[in-house]
Amino acid sequence: MPRRFVTSGLGLLVILACAHPQPDQSAVVPGLALQVSQSPGPDTVVYQRSITRAGRDSAAGTRTVVRQIVRSPARARLLQVEQRFPGGGGEIIDTAVAELATFAAVAHRSHQPTRIMRFTFAGDSAEGTVTALRPGGDSIAAVQQSLGGRIFDSNVIDLVVAALPLGPGFATELPFFIYERGGRVAMPVAVRERATVPFGRLGPRDVWIVSVGVPGAPATVWVDTRTRAVLRVRYDIAARATSFTDERVTPLHG
């Protein structure tokens, strides 16, 4: 396999040609309705990333998130979220495709400096390939993981959180896909508090502060109460005594 990135448009066509989104558009978690915009984008948001080690902060580039509506070969309206951020000694490009109304995962691809992952989600399973990029020659492994039902893509945790019916005392458990942990991972999600918090580029904002029990890297998400925009995300990795934070620098519309 040649070591090059395909264009976003071409890669998306490949994913959608192989994907089989559920036709019933039922919620991932029965009874839990998400507040999802039916006409997002194309919308580009940039986050400044910083890493904290031993109490010291350092800049670590940016994460760029592009959201837009695309259509499957069956003309279903889907949400595509492409993210670009530093990682693995280079740049990582993740593209998640989900049902627009429910955020249920349809497909995912990830181009990383050392591997390429492609998955489609159909029925109760995730199927795809993981390609290890090696100097002596690439190796491709077929993947099939049982999911036990519909699922969210862990690459859009913050967007799923922002779409939840957040409020005082809100708590739930959501299923996310993590390939490295065998597929389906249940994560507790809870509103910690509502507060006015200062942000470097945006000033003080009224936000929901939400915790997400990501295994090995618990997350905190700051969601603007008025616009439902994700203003900040922090992952704390205790095993490495490290945390990394993405803070929105793109102006808010409202």
Side-chain angles (χ1 to χ4, degrees):
M1 177 178 290
R3 296 189 184 185
R4 60 185 178 84
F5 290 158
V6 296
T7 64
S8 175
L10 178 59
L12 178 62
L13 289 177
V14 172
I15 281 183
L16 295 184
C18 298
H20 303 283
Q22 297 290 332
D24 61 357
Q25 294 285 302
S26 59
V28 173
V29 177
L32 182 64
L34 301 185
Q35 301 175 31
V36 181
S37 171
Q38 295 301 299
S39 57
D43 180 43
T44 300
V45 176
V46 178
Y47 294 86
Q48 178 65 53
R49 174 163 292 186
S50 62
I51 296 178
T52 303
R53 296 187 182 94
R56 300 185 63 179
D57 297 334
S58 60
T62 60
R63 176 169 66 100
T64 301
V65 182
V66 180
R67 295 190 295 171
Q68 60 182 317
I69 291 178
V70 298
R71 290 189 181 272
S72 72
R75 306 303 295 167
R77 298 171 77 233
L78 305 172
L79 177 67
Q80 174 189 288
V81 181
E82 180 187 272
Q83 305 189 58
R84 295 172 178 258
F85 52 92
E91 182 183 49
I92 295 175
I93 305 176
D94 283 346
T95 303
V97 180
E99 293 176 357
L100 180 59
T102 66
F103 269 2
V106 171
H108 175 80
R109 96 177 159 273
S110 179
H111 288 270
Q112 305 174 17
T114 59
R115 67 178 178 178
I116 298 173
M117 299 191 296
R118 296 177 181 273
F119 302 108
T120 59
F121 305 90
D124 290 342
S125 67
E127 300 178 359
T129 59
V130 176
T131 302
L133 306 177
R134 298 169 178 164
D138 301 342
S139 64
I140 302 176
V143 174
Q144 183 170 18
Q145 293 179 326
S146 176
L147 301 179
R150 292 155 68 75
I151 201 163
F152 297 116
D153 191 334
S154 62
N155 287 276
V156 291
I157 285 177
D158 54 346
L159 298 181
V160 173
V161 167
L164 293 170
L166 302 175
F170 175 83
T172 189
E173 186 175 83
L174 302 180
F176 286 97
F177 174 77
I178 301 181
Y179 157 70
E180 294 85 354
R181 289 185 174 268
R184 189 182 189 90
V185 177
M187 299 185 194
V189 179
V191 169
R192 185 185 304 168
E193 64 176 316
R194 179 174 181 172
T196 298
V197 176
F199 296 88
R201 295 287 186 91
L202 305 177
R205 301 291 301 190
D206 184 45
V207 296
W208 296 113
I209 303 176
V210 186
S211 62
V212 185
V214 182
T220 305
V221 184
W222 286 256
V223 180
D224 189 88
T225 59
R226 180 179 177 183
T227 66
R228 284 307 180 106
V230 176
L231 304 187
R232 181 186 293 158
V233 183
R234 187 184 73 229
Y235 288 88
D236 297 306
I237 309 173
R240 301 179 184 176
T242 300
S243 64
F244 67 86
T245 303
D246 291 345
E247 182 161 325
R248 179 176 173 134
V249 297
T250 301
L252 287 168
H253 304 293

